[in-house]
């Protein structure tokens, strides 16, 4: 006779089998083998990690986890990395289960939060875990969609926090893009979550064909079905271009090189022609990825100037009616500030841009119209590839290089796969097409490597924070918290990586010994001579950097010296030519100088040092009327006409410079010592020197590896201890460091990179006397980060009075905390960026959108996104200060700025 435990297990299996049969009947197509395997693991009570290509249907597995929970009368959370994806998934699940069964929790929306199935951003779940929410008691399943987001530099730590701290009774379904170390990540999941099946699917249900667009002709990248043999026409073309470029370099013909980039082998098809070619080939709808917001907007503008029209009269009417309905709730003045008419003109012709600079409403309209087949071509930045369901027949990449915020870098295989994975709509297309536009320098072999490589590993971005520390100490205790952090994926990877790094150090030491032997010289100690050369080379490079810094300073000085009416010549770029200065740069040396001008086409130009790489001086002068206003088209036309009259007679710009940088005395001393060294006269000196250069380069790399080994051993626990030490010294943890004080419980409610700065400012009482408008401006400094990096941020002005004083005191607090961090070997707090303080101050006082955007030099999308983050932080402050006057002020501040286009929460409300 079966025991009670065996009878229970058998009943559970029967119920699970029934649930799976019912679930399969929901789909009009049979499930793929990998989907069935994952569902079987879930119905057996095991967690799963599913890694599969975009469009392969891995969300079906997540939906089965939902089905299991609801069938058992339990609850399920479905987490996503971004609000837009949460909104999309919420609508999908409402259609299946009904609005009463499904809830939504994001920073913007709270709908039916007590429903048995709740879609939420991962941060919301993390906060619920730390708050020990009652909603966790009946939780059976958590679906973590796009779990590879844990590699995200700024937000990835949240995924690991959730995976580590979820109750053991919760089954996790992790859905990931294809990564090469899925088994490694799955093994870690098994250590923190219990038995986890790893299911990897590399098959794409819609085959993806790799193509190259050369002029008006599409060429297959591969000439065999296995996609292993590269098209020889493309390799021959690349070889011809490389030979031509080497010849030009040898001839020193800069003009010919420039000409070659414009025509001949380096010819690039125009964007209107690209769209027409795709249309002719039946490859629309298409997503054209351009790694620049301005590039996306420019592409739409070019298509409109080129007469591109991809829609019928009936489709145009449908697009217009939908856009009017979607945007009808916004103030007409706000729509004008957003450029609604120009946007709609392109939209009606089936063309649109999609990037973070657009307001969410415009992006959602584009997404909806693209999904319905009315918009045929979208020019997008890579953010479109992250989660939003917008599949296309083809994906076009103009370049294989992108700007990562610090430098131009090549696309990785993972990025290429993520982008091109949008091509091919399951159930609609028999194949997808990944198209790369031919451009000078394109290497077909490198492209083939991107298209075929599957070696892109998932890496952790986990790091302890102040908020995490107080929450962990409060919920688990100090000792247990440290042990939990040591179970992070970051530490797992670190411990396994140290073995590989140590092996590399050993190999490098052997190579260094070989280099030393190869550079031996019969005339003397060549290692000493090589060290002198290495030191000299590095000093000369430093000198070059100083020269560049001097040139930048001269340009800054030149910009600050310009006066209203001065004419400057922008030397290069698509909009090169003369510009009349109508607004001068700030004299504040802490701010990057920028001037505002009008060009020959009556456009307003905001110009900074980046527009004048060789320096700037006035090349002429005209009178600008006192009545001039940049918003007036007539004013701009008057200035442009005056400029046109004098433009022909303007000289080229010249730069007054200071005396050139003198080389350091050490450089001259090193040169003298090199000439006097015995090895300087060796006939084989340069051959020995090449070994010496390799030696010192490898030596520096090896020293860096040794430092990495020293720093990474037990790195997570060591960082946590330093953070706790900092918190103890500031009074957020008690004297023993094992209990959380009242101030610590306040900090536990503040999330974000500036958590400790916020808590310190609240504790100081500085904000207690501020009005709602003033508090809004101060809090803006705690979330904003300009796109060019904080050092590039140009602040036109700051509010005066109490708000200005509070900002000044906030900066002092910030500096004090960063110094305390430095004393403890920490570096977690970002630098302050005040670029949003004045715009949000004006917005809180009721200024219109057009005026705020004009003064802020921000795109509408950026302004809305940052304002929503300020609203979110104000909400945290209100909760943390519950019962105090500051809570009411924070609530009022959030209400002041949550209006107009900011308050519009989107189509999927």
């Amino acid at each position: 006779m079966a025991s009670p435990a065996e009878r229970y297990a058998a009943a559970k299996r029967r119920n699970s089998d029934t649930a799976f049969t019912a679930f399969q009947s929901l789909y009009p197509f049979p499930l793929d083998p990998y989907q069935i395997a994952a569902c079987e693991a879930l119905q057996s009570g095991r967690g799963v990690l599913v890694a599969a290509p975009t469009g392969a249907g891995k969300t079906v597995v997540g939906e089965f986890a939902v089905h299991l929970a609801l069938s058992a009368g339990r609850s399920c959370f479905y987490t996503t990395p971004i609000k837009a994806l949460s909104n999309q998934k919420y609508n999908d699940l409402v259609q299946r289960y009904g609005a009463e069964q499904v809830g939504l929790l994001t920073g913007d929306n709270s709908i039916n939060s007590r429903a048995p199935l709740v879609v939420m951003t991962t941060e919301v779940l993390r906060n619920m875990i730390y708050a020990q929410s009652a909603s966790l008691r009946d939780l059976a399943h958590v679906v973590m969609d796009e779990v590879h987001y844990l590699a995200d530099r700024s937000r990835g730590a949240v995924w690991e926090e959730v995976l580590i701290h979820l109750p053991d009774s919760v089954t996790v379904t992790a859905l990931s893009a294809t990564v090469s170390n899925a088994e490694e990540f799955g093994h870690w999941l098994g250590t923190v979550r219990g038995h986890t099946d790893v299911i990897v699917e590399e098959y794409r249900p819609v085959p993806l064909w790799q193509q190259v667009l050369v002029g008006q002709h599409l060429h297959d990248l591969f000439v065999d079905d296995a996609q292993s043999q590269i098209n020889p026409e493309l390799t021959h073309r690349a070889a011809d271009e490389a030979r031509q470029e080497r010849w030009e370099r040898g001839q020193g013909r800069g003009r010919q090189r420039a000409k070659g980039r414009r025509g001949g082998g380096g010819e690039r098809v125009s964007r209107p022609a690209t769209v027409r070619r795709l249309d002719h080939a039946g490859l629309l709808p298409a997503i054209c990825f351009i790694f620049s917001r301005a590039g996306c907007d420019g592409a739409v503008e070019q298509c409109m100037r080129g007469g591109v029209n991809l829609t019928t009269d009936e489709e145009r009417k449908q697009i217009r009616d939908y856009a009017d309905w979607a945007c009808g709730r916004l103030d007409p003045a706000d729509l004008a500030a957003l450029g609604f008419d120009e946007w709609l003109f392109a939209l009606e012709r089936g063309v649109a841009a999609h990037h973070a600079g657009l307001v969410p409403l415009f992006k959602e309209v584009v997404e909806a119209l693209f999904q319905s087949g009315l918009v045929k071509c979208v020019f997008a930045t890579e953010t479109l590839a992250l989660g939003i369901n917008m599949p296309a027949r083809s994906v076009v990449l103009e370049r294989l290089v992108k700007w990562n915020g610090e430098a131009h870098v090549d696309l990785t295989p993972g990025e290429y796969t993520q982008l091109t994975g949008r091509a091919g709509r399951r159930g609609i297309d028999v194949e997808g097409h990944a198209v790369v536009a031919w451009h000078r320098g394109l290497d077909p072999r490198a492209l083939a490597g991107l298209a075929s490589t599957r070696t892109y590993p998932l890496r952790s971005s986990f790091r302890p924070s102040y908020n995490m520390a107080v929450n962990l100490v409060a919920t688990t205790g100090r000792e247990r918290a440290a042990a939990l952090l040591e179970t992070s994926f970051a530490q797992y990877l670190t411990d396994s990586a140290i073995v590989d790094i140590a092996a590399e150090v050993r190999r490098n030491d052997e190579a260094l010994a070989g280099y030393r032997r190869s550079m031996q010289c019969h005339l003397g100690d060549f290692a000493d001579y090589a060290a002198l050369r290495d030191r000299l080379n590095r000093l000369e490079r430093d000198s070059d950097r100083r020269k560049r810094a001097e040139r930048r300073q001269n340009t800054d000085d030149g910009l600050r010296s310009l006066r209203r009416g001065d004419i400057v010549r922008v030397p290069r770029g698509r909009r090169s030519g003369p510009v009349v200065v109508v607004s001068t740069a700030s004299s504040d040396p802490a701010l990057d100088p920028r001037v505002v001008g009008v060009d020959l086409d009556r456009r307003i130009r905001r110009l900074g040092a980046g527009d004048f790489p060789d320096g700037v001086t006035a090349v002429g002068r005209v009178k600008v009327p006192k009545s001039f206003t940049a918003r007036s088209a007539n004013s701009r036309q008057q200035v442009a006409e005056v400029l046109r009259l004098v433009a022909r007679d303007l000289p080229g710009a010249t730069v007054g410079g200071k005396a050139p940088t003198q080389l350091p005395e050490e450089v001259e001393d090193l040169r003298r010592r090199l000439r006097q060294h015995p090895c300087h006269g060796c006939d084989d000196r340069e051959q020995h020197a090449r070994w010496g250069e390799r030696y010192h380069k490898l030596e520096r790399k090896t020293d860096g590896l040794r430092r990495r080994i020293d720093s990474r051993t037990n790195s997570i626990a060591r960082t946590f201890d330093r953070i706790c030490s900092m918190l103890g010294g500031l009074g957020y943890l008690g004297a023993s460091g094992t209990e959380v004080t009242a101030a610590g419980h306040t900090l536990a409610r503040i999330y974000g990179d500036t958590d400790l700065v916020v808590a310190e400012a609240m504790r100081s009482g500085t904000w207690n006397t501020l009005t709602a408008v003033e508090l809004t401006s101060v809090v803006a400094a705690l979330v904003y980060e300009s796109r060019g990096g904080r050092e590039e941020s140009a602040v036109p002005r700051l509010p005066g009075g109490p708000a200005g004083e509070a900002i000044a005191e906030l900066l002092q607090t910030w500096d004090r905390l960063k110094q305390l961090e430095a004393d403890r070997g920490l570096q977690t707090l970002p630098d302050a960026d005040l670029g949003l303080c004045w715009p949000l101050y004006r917005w809180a006082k009721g200024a219109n959108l057009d005026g705020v955007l004009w003064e802020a030099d921000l795109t509408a999308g950026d302004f809305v996104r940052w304002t929503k983050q300020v609203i979110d932080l104000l909400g945290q402050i209100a909760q943390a200060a519950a019962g105090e006057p500051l809570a009411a002020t924070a609530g009022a501040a959030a209400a002041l700025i949550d209006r107009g286009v900011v308050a519009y929460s989107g189509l999927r409300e």
Side-chain angles (χ1 to χ4, degrees):
M1 183 174 179
S3 68
E6 290 171 335
R7 290 198 299 274
Y8 173 77
K12 185 176 180 181
R13 280 194 300 275
R14 286 194 298 273
N15 291 337
S16 295
D17 291 341
T18 303
F20 185 52
T21 302
F23 177 73
Q24 283 185 298
S25 68
L26 297 174
Y27 295 89
F29 52 84
L31 299 189
D32 293 338
Y34 88 90
Q35 294 169 329
I36 295 173
C39 292
E40 287 176 346
L42 286 174
Q43 74 177 359
S44 298
R46 302 190 300 275
V48 294
L49 166 65
V50 179
T54 301
K58 54 183 173 287
T59 55
V60 168
V61 181
E63 290 166 3
F64 181 61
V66 170
H67 189 82
L68 279 176
L70 297 183
S71 299
R74 304 283 299 281
S75 63
C76 176
F77 291 163
Y78 196 111
T79 73
T80 73
I82 53 178
K83 296 173 185 175
L85 189 54
S86 292
N87 293 335
Q88 196 173 75
K89 200 63 197 178
Y90 167 75
N91 282 277
D92 293 344
L93 293 170
V94 164
Q95 288 181 8
R96 170 167 293 180
Y97 296 106
E100 70 284 351
Q101 289 283 90
V102 187
L104 176 67
L105 284 174
T106 68
D108 298 333
N109 283 318
S110 176
I111 302 173
N112 197 18
S113 61
R114 296 184 181 276
L117 168 57
V118 184
V119 183
M120 62 184 67
T121 51
T122 315
E123 281 87 351
V124 170
L125 178 53
R126 185 269 313 271
N127 298 351
M128 291 172 70
I129 291 172
Y130 283 151
Q132 298 180 314
S133 169
S135 301
L136 299 174
R137 293 173 190 163
D138 202 38
L139 184 63
H141 288 266
V142 166
V143 180
M144 302 196 76
D145 205 352
E146 309 281 351
V147 74
H148 52 274
Y149 258 75
L150 66 79
D152 184 78
R153 201 167 39 174
S154 60
R155 298 172 54 221
V158 176
W159 274 257
E160 291 189 50
E161 287 182 77
V162 168
L163 288 167
I164 291 171
H165 302 308
L166 269 175
D168 293 340
S169 58
V170 175
T171 302
V172 170
T173 302
L175 308 177
S176 171
T178 308
V179 292
S180 60
N181 63 335
E183 286 78 8
E184 182 180 41
F185 180 54
H187 185 269
W188 172 76
L189 277 175
T191 64
V192 294
R193 301 298 321 155
H195 194 98
T196 302
D197 284 11
V198 179
I199 297 171
V200 177
E201 176 59 49
E202 294 189 354
Y203 171 75
R204 276 182 56 96
V206 180
L208 182 64
W209 294 101
Q210 307 287 337
Q211 295 175 297
V212 179
L213 179 63
V214 184
Q216 286 291 298
H217 302 285
L218 279 166
H219 297 259
D220 290 332
L221 175 61
F222 301 102
V223 292
D224 61 329
D225 291 340
Q227 298 197 3
S228 59
Q229 185 177 346
I230 302 172
N231 190 332
E233 289 184 33
L234 298 175
T235 55
H236 291 157
R237 183 184 184 91
D240 289 344
E241 283 192 7
R243 280 193 295 271
Q244 176 71 12
E245 189 158 345
R246 285 196 298 272
W247 180 83
E248 289 171 356
R249 277 202 304 269
Q251 297 296 313
R253 297 186 181 183
R255 285 187 298 175
Q256 285 201 357
R257 287 200 302 274
K259 182 179 179 182
R261 291 188 180 96
R262 292 192 295 269
E267 179 185 358
R268 291 186 60 195
V269 67
S270 72
R271 283 156 176 165
T274 297
V275 175
R276 289 194 181 95
R277 181 68 187 89
L278 294 171
D279 190 20
H280 180 73
L283 297 184
L284 296 181
I287 299 172
C288 300
F289 284 109
I290 301 173
F291 303 114
S292 157
R293 297 179 180 183
C296 293
D297 293 335
V300 173
E301 185 181 332
Q302 291 161 28
C303 287
M304 293 304 96
R305 287 202 307 266
V308 171
N309 188 351
L310 306 174
T311 54
T312 65
D313 291 343
E314 175 58 27
E315 287 173 330
R316 281 195 291 277
K317 182 180 184 304
Q318 291 180 49
I319 290 170
R320 183 167 55 255
D321 290 347
Y322 185 83
D324 286 341
W325 165 81
C327 302
R329 287 165 43 189
L330 288 185
D331 189 300
D334 285 353
L335 286 176
L338 295 172
F340 175 79
D341 290 340
E342 296 87 347
W343 174 72
L344 181 58
F345 180 82
L347 204 63
E348 287 179 350
R349 283 147 186 81
V351 180
H354 190 290
H355 55 72
L358 296 173
V359 291
L361 172 60
F362 281 16
K363 287 192 293 184
E364 289 183 15
V365 170
V366 170
E367 291 163 13
L369 292 174
F370 190 85
Q371 290 168 19
S372 65
L374 292 171
V375 167
K376 320 288 186 180
C377 182
V378 172
F379 294 95
T381 56
E382 64 180 323
T383 54
L384 179 58
L386 305 177
I388 300 300
N389 181 28
M390 275 183 64
R393 181 164 294 162
S394 65
V395 162
V396 180
L397 298 180
E398 287 195 355
R399 292 278 179 176
L400 300 178
V401 173
K402 70 169 187 174
W403 176 257
N404 67 358
E406 298 175 357
H408 285 96
V409 297
D410 294 333
L411 287 183
T412 66
E415 290 167 336
Y416 182 86
T417 301
Q418 183 81 14
L419 295 168
T420 58
R422 293 282 170 194
R425 298 165 297 175
R426 191 171 191 178
I428 301 175
D429 300 317
V430 295
E431 59 189 27
H433 297 261
V435 180
V436 176
W438 185 273
H439 52 272
R440 195 175 184 89
L442 178 64
D443 180 357
R445 292 182 178 84
L447 175 57
L450 286 176
S452 58
T453 301
R454 294 293 179 266
T455 56
Y456 30 92
L458 180 63
R459 295 299 180 211
S460 172
S461 61
F462 182 84
R463 63 189 188 279
S465 67
Y466 296 108
N467 169 277
M468 185 193 302
V470 291
N471 272 299
L472 284 176
V473 172
T475 56
T476 67
R478 173 79 174 266
E479 187 174 340
R480 167 89 174 130
L484 279 172
L485 292 176
E486 285 299 299
T487 67
S488 68
F489 188 46
Q491 192 63 55
Y492 177 90
L493 290 173
T494 297
D495 291 344
S496 60
I498 285 176
V499 177
D500 296 332
I501 295 173
E504 186 176 356
V505 168
R506 287 193 299 271
R507 290 193 298 270
N508 289 355
D509 284 337
E510 293 173 2
L512 287 170
Y515 291 166
R516 279 193 296 269
R517 289 191 296 270
S518 296
M519 66 177 174
Q520 286 179 354
C521 178
H522 66 287
L523 295 179
D525 184 355
F526 202 91
D528 178 59
Y529 181 78
L532 291 174
R533 281 182 61 139
D534 181 67
R535 174 64 179 159
L536 176 61
N537 289 336
R538 283 188 285 139
L539 280 175
E540 288 175 336
R541 285 196 296 270
D542 291 344
S543 178
D544 288 341
R545 282 193 288 269
R546 284 195 293 272
K547 288 177 183 177
R548 289 195 294 271
E550 274 195 6
R551 283 198 298 271
R552 170 61 187 257
Q553 185 60 53
N554 289 344
T555 302
D556 286 356
D557 294 343
L559 284 168
R560 290 193 177 94
S561 70
L562 293 175
R563 295 294 171 257
R564 185 180 168 99
D566 282 346
I567 302 174
V568 295
R569 189 180 295 279
V570 179
R572 62 183 70 168
R574 187 162 55 90
R575 294 180 176 177
S576 61
V579 176
V580 177
V581 176
V582 296
S583 179
T584 58
S586 168
S587 60
D588 187 345
L591 304 179
D592 285 345
R594 294 180 182 271
V595 298
V596 178
V598 175
D599 64 13
L600 289 170
D601 294 322
R602 307 188 302 278
R603 288 186 295 246
I604 287 294
R605 305 285 298 278
R606 293 178 176 83
L607 303 172
D611 296 294
F612 303 99
D614 300 319
V616 59
T617 58
V619 296
R621 186 171 178 78
V622 297
K623 186 174 181 180
V624 177
K626 291 184 178 179
S627 60
F628 174 86
T629 172
R631 297 183 195 173
S632 167
N634 288 334
S635 291
R636 298 197 300 272
Q637 183 170 351
Q638 287 178 347
V639 173
E641 287 176 352
V642 173
L643 176 60
R644 195 170 290 111
L645 290 174
V646 302
R648 292 183 179 178
D649 301 323
L650 293 174
T654 57
V655 183
K658 301 177 183 178
T661 304
Q662 297 297 315
L663 290 174
E665 290 184 8
E666 187 179 356
V667 170
E668 295 299 337
D669 178 58
L670 284 169
R671 288 175 175 171
R672 177 183 54 77
R673 291 168 61 189
L674 274 176
R675 289 192 296 269
Q676 295 175 353
H677 198 284
C679 294
H680 192 67
C682 178
D683 292 340
D684 297 325
R685 181 185 67 196
E686 292 309 309
Q687 181 179 347
H688 295 329
R690 282 193 291 273
W691 288 109
E693 289 169 4
R694 295 173 187 172
Y695 177 88
H696 287 287
K697 183 178 180 179
L698 185 60
E699 184 181 48
R700 284 193 293 273
K701 179 183 178 182
T702 306
D703 288 343
L705 292 174
R706 289 193 176 95
R707 287 192 295 271
R708 284 172 63 189
I709 291 174
D710 291 341
S711 65
R712 293 173 73 170
T713 306
N714 299 318
S715 56
I716 302 294
R718 189 163 57 245
T719 300
F720 178 70
D721 284 340
R722 291 172 180 172
I723 283 175
C724 288
S725 171
M726 178 106 164
L727 292 172
L730 291 170
Y732 292 93
L733 296 178
S736 65
T738 58
E739 71 277 350
V740 178
T741 65
H745 285 294
T746 298
L747 174 59
R749 292 171 173 262
I750 306 297
Y751 300 94
D753 290 343
T754 57
D755 49 7
L756 187 58
V757 184
V758 176
E760 281 289 277
M762 290 178 64
R763 192 162 63 154
S764 72
T766 306
W767 294 352
N768 292 344
T769 57
L770 295 178
T771 65
V773 171
E774 292 162 349
L775 181 62
T776 297
S777 180
V778 178
V779 171
L782 290 155
V783 302
Y784 181 64
E785 181 176 356
S786 55
R787 288 188 64 229
R790 298 178 189 273
E791 62 186 16
E792 298 292 329
S793 176
V795 184
R797 62 180 294 188
L798 292 173
E805 294 170 4
I807 290 172
E809 186 163 334
L810 178 70
L811 293 179
Q812 292 177 359
T813 299
W814 211 314
D815 289 341
R816 174 174 58 84
L817 292 175
K818 285 177 73 69
Q819 184 57 54
L820 288 173
E821 279 199 330
D823 294 342
R824 288 173 169 79
L826 291 169
Q827 190 177 2
T828 73
L829 295 175
D831 294 327
D833 190 328
L834 308 181
L836 191 64
C837 296
W838 176 251
L840 217 54
Y841 181 79
R842 296 265 292 118
W843 183 249
K845 288 180 72 69
N848 63 39
L849 181 64
D850 187 33
V852 170
L853 293 180
W854 170 261
E855 291 186 296
D857 196 17
L858 282 169
T859 66
D862 285 335
F863 177 72
V864 169
R865 186 172 72 258
W866 289 115
T867 301
K868 285 182 177 292
Q869 291 197 30
V870 173
I871 292 170
D872 183 57
L873 180 52
L874 286 167
Q876 295 175 31
I877 291 169
Q879 286 190 343
E884 302 174 14
L886 178 60
T889 307
L896 280 177
I897 58 176
D898 193 15
R899 62 180 178 86
V901 69
V902 175
Y904 192 93
S905 57
L907 301 173
R908 307 180 179 96
E909 293 183 301

